Amino acid sequence: MENDHNDHQHCGDDSDHRHCLEMFNRLSEYLDNELDDITCREIEQHVEKCVPCFSCLQTLKQTVALCKQTTNKPVPKEFSRKLRELIQNIPKTTNP
Amino acid sequence: MTTAKNPNRKIIKDKDFELVQAIIAGQYDLFHDLVKRYEKKLYNFSLRMCWDPSDAEDLVQETFLNVVRYLKDFRHETKFKNWLYRIASSTCIKKRRKSKFAPERELSLEEFIPKNQAAAQVQVPDWAKMPLDKLLNEELAEMIHQAILSLPEKYRMVIVLRDIEDFSTGETAQILDLSESNVKVRLHRARLFLREKLKGYFEHGE
């Protein structure tokens, strides 16, 4: 990744920190099923032991789920009418 | 399917194929069907890209005008919907460049990493465990909308295309002309940003 993350304090020693950050950086890819089996298992094993990463995974998962539930607003009728009028009046020269 | 000109060129026959072909062949009146099919989706995409609803309307209008202009060059090498969003996204980026907005800020991962053990969330908060139908209401939907709008544009585009419009990583990369790894980096940061906003909302009512 682009940055060092020396102040991440989830786990104990330096190598734990680095591993923790590596896992943290890949949580979205994990949620999107974009990782190979080995890395998936590595993340699963990590979050079993690291409570902050487990919590981060769950909150991130819920964030994505909420985003996906976002509903669409209706198009204002007046705008829709104007849009159709505009399309209707496009000169033939610019038609496809 | 292949063509005589380039036997290796693949044509994607999606749900819009026949309609688009008919328009290209000269049945211009059918363009209204294309507008009907996509105006709501494009309007909502634009609302998520622009602060001002009238700017969102301008963006939809300009996108459809560009579709009219360039449809004859569309070769069905991608789904029509993906091509349409590519036009919408580039129209949006061009509009932004012309405007007087301040340069975009970068989101760094460090912003989202707890600085010490006390700041790290040691338990899964209640809001992350609740069923979505119990959690979602109008106020939360509006809060999410505002949070998405407050993201820098380059992150906002990626999260809207991936998590709201449901394009894959590959499709999003193609629409925005980015590498897949770049899409993944931006998406992760955008999600972490939104997650922070949700945490603030549920824990402190911010």
Side-chain angles (χ1 to χ4, degrees):
Chain A
M1 302 303 294
E2 292 170 22
N3 301 300
D4 292 321
H5 311 290
N6 298 326
D7 46 1
H8 186 62
Q9 298 291 317
H10 284 185
C11 302
D13 60 31
D14 276 354
S15 69
D16 278 349
H17 287 172
R18 273 197 302 278
H19 183 63
C20 197
L21 287 168
E22 275 171 35
M23 300 293 101
F24 176 81
N25 288 344
R26 309 207 79 173
L27 290 180
S28 277
E29 288 172 88
Y30 174 76
L31 289 175
D32 295 334
N33 293 316
E34 288 177 332
L35 294 171
D36 58 74
D37 290 349
I38 294 168
T39 315
C40 275
R41 271 202 302 278
E42 210 182 330
I43 287 182
E44 283 156 10
Q45 282 166 1
H46 176 73
V47 296
E48 264 180 38
K49 290 179 291 181
C50 178
V51 182
C53 274
F54 178 72
S55 178
C56 182
L57 181 65
Q58 297 306 312
T59 49
L60 202 59
K61 192 175 173 181
Q62 188 77 326
T63 301
V64 177
L66 282 168
C67 253
K68 288 188 188 290
Q69 290 292 311
T70 310
T71 53
N72 281 340
K73 292 179 180 169
V75 181
K77 281 192 177 137
E78 181 56 22
F79 171 62
S80 193
R81 190 190 59 74
K82 274 202 281 189
L83 188 63
R84 279 164 173 72
E85 232 174 63
L86 180 87
I87 302 291
Q88 188 74 44
N89 294 329
I90 293 172
K92 287 284 175 218
T93 49
T94 57
N95 267 331
Chain B
M1 189 179 155
T2 57
T3 64
K5 274 185 180 175
N6 179 358
N8 297 320
R9 187 164 69 90
K10 277 190 182 163
I11 287 183
I12 294 173
K13 287 195 171 184
D14 59 3
K15 66 182 175 67
D16 300 311
F17 181 80
E18 285 174 16
L19 178 59
V20 170
Q21 283 290 96
I23 297 168
I24 293 173
Q27 295 184 60
Y28 305 131
D29 288 349
L30 291 177
F31 201 88
H32 285 281
D33 292 352
L34 212 54
V35 172
K36 197 174 167 189
R37 208 172 271 186
Y38 284 107
E39 70 175 337
K40 191 174 176 184
K41 285 192 88 55
L42 272 187
Y43 177 68
N44 279 275
F45 171 75
S46 303
L47 277 179
R48 292 177 182 115
M49 286 300 129
C50 309
W51 280 95
D52 186 340
S54 73
D55 287 343
E57 291 183 3
D58 286 349
L59 180 56
V60 176
Q61 190 173 300
E62 280 180 44
T63 299
F64 276 121
L65 286 176
N66 281 330
V67 171
V68 170
R69 216 166 278 148
Y70 300 116
L71 193 64
K72 61 181 185 310
D73 301 322
F74 178 58
R75 297 283 175 265
H76 298 281
E77 286 166 332
T78 178
K79 286 180 192 166
F80 172 76
K81 186 184 165 194
N82 298 16
W83 183 75
L84 179 69
Y85 273 81
R86 189 177 165 92
I87 289 184
S89 306
S90 61
T91 306
C92 181
I93 292 166
K94 275 179 202 153
K95 270 176 84 72
R96 187 187 162 82
R97 279 185 193 143
K98 280 184 197 165
S99 72
K100 293 171 186 166
F101 290 128
E104 280 200 304
R105 80 178 178 98
E106 294 284 335
L107 295 180
S108 81
L109 272 177
E110 283 172 347
E111 292 178 41
F112 307 112
I113 297 167
K115 295 286 183 284
N116 52 53
Q117 193 67 38
Q121 198 125 31
V122 288
Q123 276 186 329
V124 179
D126 287 343
W127 65 270
K129 292 185 277 190
M130 279 169 74
L132 290 177
D133 57 347
K134 293 258 186 322
L135 198 62
L136 251 182
N137 57 31
E138 231 171 86
E139 187 187 287
L140 179 61
E142 184 54 28
M143 180 262 146
I144 293 171
H145 179 69
Q146 293 300 324
I148 288 173
L149 276 173
S150 65
L151 268 164
E153 188 184 72
K154 68 181 197 179
Y155 301 95
R156 194 179 344 144
M157 275 198 170
V158 169
I159 198 170
V160 168
L161 290 172
R162 285 286 286 112
D163 287 345
I164 296 177
E165 301 293 340
D166 219 19
F167 288 105
S168 68
T169 299
E171 287 174 320
T172 304
Q174 202 181 35
I175 289 168
L176 297 177
D177 210 7
L178 295 171
S179 68
E180 289 195 16
S181 60
N182 209 334
V183 168
K184 288 177 187 179
V185 168
R186 290 186 191 188
L187 179 64
H188 190 46
R189 291 177 193 191
R191 284 174 174 175
L192 289 169
F193 176 92
L194 204 55
R195 170 181 158 271
E196 287 302 309
K197 295 279 182 189
L198 283 165
K199 270 169 67 181
Y201 173 81
F202 286 112
E203 286 161 24
H204 312 293
E206 285 166 4

